[in-house]
Amino acid sequence: MRTGCIVSFMDARQNIETALKGALSKLGIEAEVVLDHPADVSHGDYSSNVALVAAKKAGKNPKALAEEILKQLGSIEGVESSSVAGAGFINFTLARGFFPEATKEILQKGEAWGRNDHVKGYKVMVEYTDPNAFKPLHIGHLMSNAIGESLARLVEFSGGETKKANYASDIGLNVAKGVWGAKKINADLNDLSALGKAYATAHESYETDPQVKEEIDTINKALYENSDAELSAIRGKGVATSLKHLYEICDVLGTRFDFEFLESQSAPLGKDIVLKNTPGVFEVSDGATVYKGEADGLHTRVFLNSRGLPTYEAKDIGLIGLKRTSFPFDVSIIV
């Protein structure tokens, strides 16, 4: 298997895949060829379980089949040696000269190294970070941002058309709690820490005081209906402060969103879809509009609560429409 010719990283992998496919063809076997990096470096640089996958269909012992495949491989450019290990894995060790050449190639290509066309032609939307108004960002948002950024950049690096989206919670029970708390403690609406304190105050009271719960639920309904100018103004200022904080953090993280979706936009769309499909997909139960999914192996979820207000589930339905209208994607990823 020894070869003195040095090939690139991508070429070496492709040469191994081509050789395996050729060996399988000679043996009259059809099987998907997958290459992995062995967990133990002493087992080589690449490993394939193709013999284990194809053994049952071929009616042969996996290790015996691996030996047959190995005999059919012949010389592979860029590969120093190949061998059978374990229950039938085929391991490959690259030529010694490969690594300094590969390093040289990496340095020459710089940030372009590894760029490919694996998902060329695909339109992918990645949604991540998704903050809640009246609440400071926490480590969970940072995690979502890091994962979302990584996925978006990987798709773009692999030739796909990528759009980054943020979906902020700017209306709903959490916002109603923030508005109630802001009024209660006379919070500075330009100070996010004060808004966070307002929310915490309201959340605790909501869980323990039935009167406060009723007051906050009433505020929530008024905010959805935009029927109280003072409450709506508090909400608007609180949301603006929260989003300003988000953008400051995103500047530090290097995040630039292509689309900014809000729950206040998705809520009416989702509610309309739910109502149009009730009865049918949804049904009214104890005053709420629900989807009873037990028959489909799922479970019951509330889409409109007893006050007729949309839940996260209904909003998500509306969000799908907003996304497709903004960017007709092939794949949607939500972190």
Side-chain angles (χ1 to χ4, degrees), residues 288-308:
T289 303
V290 306
Y291 164 68
K292 293 190 175 180
E294 282 76 6
D296 299 320
L298 303 172
H299 57 277
T300 296
R301 299 294 294 180
V302 178
F303 280 74
L304 302 180
N305 65 21
S306 59
R307 290 174 178 256

Side-chain angles (χ1 to χ4, degrees), residues 253-331:
L253 298 174
T255 296
R256 297 289 183 275
F257 291 113
D258 298 293
F259 297 106
E260 182 82 67
F261 300 115
L262 301 172
E263 285 192 6
S264 58
Q265 297 172 320
S266 66
L269 299 177
K271 180 177 180 178
D272 184 57
I273 292 172
V274 171
L275 291 175
K276 286 181 177 178
N277 290 276
T278 306
V281 176
F282 307 96
E283 60 184 270
V284 177
S285 176
D286 296 327
T289 303
V290 306
Y291 164 68
K292 293 190 175 180
E294 282 76 6
D296 299 320
L298 303 172
H299 57 277
T300 296
R301 299 294 294 180
V302 178
F303 280 74
L304 302 180
N305 65 21
S306 59
R307 290 174 178 256
L309 302 180
T311 62
Y312 285 121
E313 286 81 356
K315 293 172 187 175
D316 277 348
I317 293 177
L319 177 62
I320 295 170
L322 287 173
K323 286 181 174 180
R324 284 206 175 278
T325 300
S326 303
F327 182 64
F329 57 80
D330 298 302
V331 178

Side-chain angles (χ1 to χ4, degrees), residues 128-132 135-137 141 145 166-168 192 239-253 255 257 260 262:
Y128 54 100
T129 309
D130 295 4
N132 295 310
K135 296 167 68 176
L137 297 176
H141 295 107
N145 183 276
N166 177 54
Y167 181 44
L192 188 67
V239 169
T241 297
S242 300
L243 291 178
K244 180 175 180 290
H245 172 64
L246 168 69
Y247 300 141
E248 289 171 349
I249 296 296
C250 285
D251 282 341
V252 174
L253 298 174
T255 296
F257 291 113
E260 182 82 67
L262 301 172

